[in-house]
């Protein structure tokens, strides 16, 4: 196997897992990530020292961010930045603004970024950041001050060679512009490559905004091809109508799929004849949410998940497919647009039902892939046409899907375990080559 060609493993006994009994809570995202990691590590027969190294985040930063509110009062927000592993290159990972942010969640997302970058073979490590706040309740000025103060709090780790953030839930190009500006002020010169997902006018890449949804579309088509199913007329339900979900819906629809259900925080919307995605996008642009969208009948998010469709794209938040509802899932293919939408407890149930799951670390890697392109373009100072970006994204997503599929066949494991095996073996190989500084 080419990716495990450099096997420098020490002859040691099998893995010990002294803290395995701690991992009992299905909905703790870090535990969910770790249970998948453990399974792949066991199959790879990872040596104990390396196993322990890869089970720990390199760095966890907690910052208090005082912000002058418009009322004149000072409010203090808590922010996190976790660098999980940087053996393969600078840490890469988004920043989310959400009331549900916890350190465990940020740690899990940072680890996922490590595996995700390795699955698509990018020269990056993994990181994630988050601030506990409700951005919908903040004014633009408050949001900018919070972003700048959070950036100042983590500035020592940021940098094109060390840690490169990107947008995530409830953050966008504008927030990235503030992060870039705050960092550049500290450095005394403009440093575009410190963040990705920036506006195109200031060093962003064409195609970045659509990249995650485009990646979902590409791997969904690859999965349908593998299963011998046609793309034309394939029925699709998409949970989440933000950056990832709305673009995935739009592009799958453009490929000939019939999007019969979409949803957001306000609820689900169903139309068996197919939803006009352009009309739904226009509605959200005006109303901020899908609520009141006339082109479909309201349903619940739970109804959407368990509806009879060919493809289900969970593209909102984590832990929406659990051991409680996995038995009711009727989709043939699940394309995980979100990070961690399926709990470890649900995996076996989906396997038994024969659902083909394209795991998050592969399915939504399109975003970080074009973030990598953006970082390369910023550092080179030479920008690519959009069709070049899309074509290179297509190549990487198709090749990565094929790598994971080949490994899943070879080891008779599902796509998730195969994706973890591939990425962990790539990270492990670099650790062995570099040596552990212990
Ligand atoms: P976003 O903020 O643009 O959109 C999130 C969407 O989910 C919104 O439509 C929101 O209303 C909906 N939502 C929130 N809570 C919900 C609930 N309880 N039920 C149903 N819908 C709900 O975020 P995004 O950037 O699209 O990210 C979505 C997911 O994809 C996250 O898990 C994120 O980590 C992951 N992801 C994003 C990117 C990216 O490039 N943006 C890349 C990889 C992974």
């Amino acid at each position: 196997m080419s990716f495990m060609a450099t096997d420098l493993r020490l002859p040691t006994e099998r893995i010990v897992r002294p803290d395995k009994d701690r991992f009992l809570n299905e909905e703790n995202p870090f535990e969910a990530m770790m249970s998948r990691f453990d399974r792949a590590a066991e199959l790879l027969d990872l040596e104990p020292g390396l196993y322990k190294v890869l089970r720990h985040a390199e760095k966890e930063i907690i910052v208090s961010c005082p912000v002058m509110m418009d009322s004149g009062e000072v409010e203090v927000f808590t922010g996190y930045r976790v660098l999980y592993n940087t053996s393969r290159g600078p840490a890469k990972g988004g920043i989310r603004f959400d009331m549900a942010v916890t350190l465990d969640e940020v740690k899990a997302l940072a680890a996922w970024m490590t595996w995700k970058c390795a699955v698509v073979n990018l020269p990056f490590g993994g990181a994630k950041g988050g601030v506990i706040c409700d951005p919908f309740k903040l004014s633009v000025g408050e949001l900018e001050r919070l972003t700048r103060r959070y950036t100042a709090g983590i500035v020592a780790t940021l940098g094109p060679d060390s840690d490169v953030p990107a947008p995530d839930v409830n953050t966008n190009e504008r927030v990235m512009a503030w992060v870039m500006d705050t960092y550049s002020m500290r450095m005394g010169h403009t440093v575009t490559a410190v963040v990705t997902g920036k506006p195109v006018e200031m060093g962003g890449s064409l195609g970045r905004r659509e990249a995650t949804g485009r990646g979902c579309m590409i791997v969904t088509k690859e999965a349908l091809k593998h299963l011998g199913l046609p793309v034309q007329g394939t029925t699709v339900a998409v949970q989440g109508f933000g950056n990832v979900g709305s673009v995935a819906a739009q592009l799958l629809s453009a490929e000939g799929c019939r999007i019969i259900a979409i949803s957001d925080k306000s609820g689900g919307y169903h139309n068996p004849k197919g939803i006009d995605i352009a009309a739904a996008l226009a509605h959200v642009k005006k109303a901020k949410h899908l609520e009141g969208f006339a082109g479909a009948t309201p349903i619940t998010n739970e109804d959407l998940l368990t509806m009879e469709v060919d493809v289900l794209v969970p593209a909102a938040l984590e832990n929406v497919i659990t051991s409680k509802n996995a038995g009711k899932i009727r989709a043939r293919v699940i394309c995980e647009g979100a990070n961690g939408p399926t709990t470890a407890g649900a995996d076996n149930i989906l396997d038994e039902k024969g659902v083909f799951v394209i795991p998050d670390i592969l399915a939504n890697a399109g975003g970080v892939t074009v973030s990598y392109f953006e970082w390369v373009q910023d550092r080179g100072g030479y920008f690519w046409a959009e069709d070049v970006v899309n074509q290179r994204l297509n190549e990487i997503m198709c090749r990565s899907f094929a790598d994971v599929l080949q490994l899943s066949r070879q080891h008779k494991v599902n796509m998730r375990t195969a994706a973890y095996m591939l990425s962990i073996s790539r990270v492990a190989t670099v650790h062995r080559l570099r040596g552990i500084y212990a």
Side-chain angles (χ1 to χ4, degrees), residues 96 98 109 113 116 128 136 166-171 208-209 211-213 239-246 263-267 284 288-290 301 314-318 320 336-341 360 364-368 371:
R96 62 172 58 180
D98 198 82
L109 292 163
M113 283 305 296
K116 193 183 301 183
K128 206 77 177 191
F136 295 103
D168 194 71
V169 175
N170 297 332
T171 58
R208 171 62 185 88
R209 194 185 304 165
T212 308
Q239 183 185 48
F241 206 65
N243 177 289
V244 181
S246 70
S263 76
D264 68 4
K265 230 178 192 162
S266 73
V284 169
K288 284 202 172 167
H289 289 295
L290 282 166
N301 262 290
L317 295 173
E318 54 261 21
V320 292
E336 295 185 335
N339 287 310
D360 47 7
N364 67 37
V368 74
S371 274

Side-chain angles (χ1 to χ4, degrees), residues 91-288:
K92 190 85 196 74
I95 295 170
R96 62 172 58 180
F97 286 174
D98 198 82
M99 286 308 290
V101 165
T102 64
L103 182 58
D104 263 353
E105 180 189 58
V106 176
K107 248 164 64 177
L109 292 163
W112 270 316
M113 283 305 296
T114 308
W115 316 135
K116 193 183 301 183
C117 290
V119 159
V120 284
N121 217 358
L122 306 179
F124 282 142
K128 206 77 177 191
V131 178
I132 306 171
C133 67
D134 182 351
F136 295 103
K137 291 199 177 135
L138 299 176
S139 69
V140 173
E142 288 166 346
L143 201 57
E144 177 173 350
R145 293 193 286 281
L146 173 58
T147 303
R148 289 187 184 279
R149 187 60 205 246
Y150 168 69
T151 306
I154 60 167
V155 78
T157 74
L158 293 182
D161 291 317
S162 50
D163 183 17
V164 186
D168 194 71
V169 175
N170 297 332
T171 58
N172 57 16
E173 298 178 347
R174 195 164 188 192
V175 173
M176 292 307 110
W178 292 327
V179 174
M180 181 278 216
D181 184 70
T182 308
Y183 181 82
S184 297
M185 289 296 135
R186 296 287 176 117
M187 294 300 122
H189 60 276
T190 296
V191 187
T192 52
V194 68
V195 287
T196 60
K198 297 181 292 292
V200 172
E201 296 83 350
M202 49 173 283
S205 176
L206 293 170
R208 171 62 185 88
R209 194 185 304 165
E210 300 79 16
T212 308
R214 181 175 291 279
C216 289
M217 177 272 284
I218 295 166
V219 291
T220 298
K221 279 177 67 186
E222 290 302 294
L224 292 172
K225 203 195 309 169
H226 160 65
L227 296 169
L229 299 170
V231 177
Q232 286 295 325
T234 287
T235 54
V236 181
V238 183
Q239 183 185 48
F241 206 65
N243 177 289
V244 181
S246 70
V247 174
Q250 200 176 16
L251 295 178
L252 283 167
S253 166
E255 292 291 322
C257 296
R258 186 153 46 100
I259 317 297
I260 61 166
I262 53 175
S263 76
D264 68 4
K265 230 178 192 162
S266 73
Y269 302 86
H270 177 227
N271 182 345
K273 291 193 183 133
I275 292 171
D276 179 347
I277 301 299
L281 281 166
H283 178 87
V284 169
K285 203 170 176 192
K286 250 196 271 158
K288 284 202 172 167

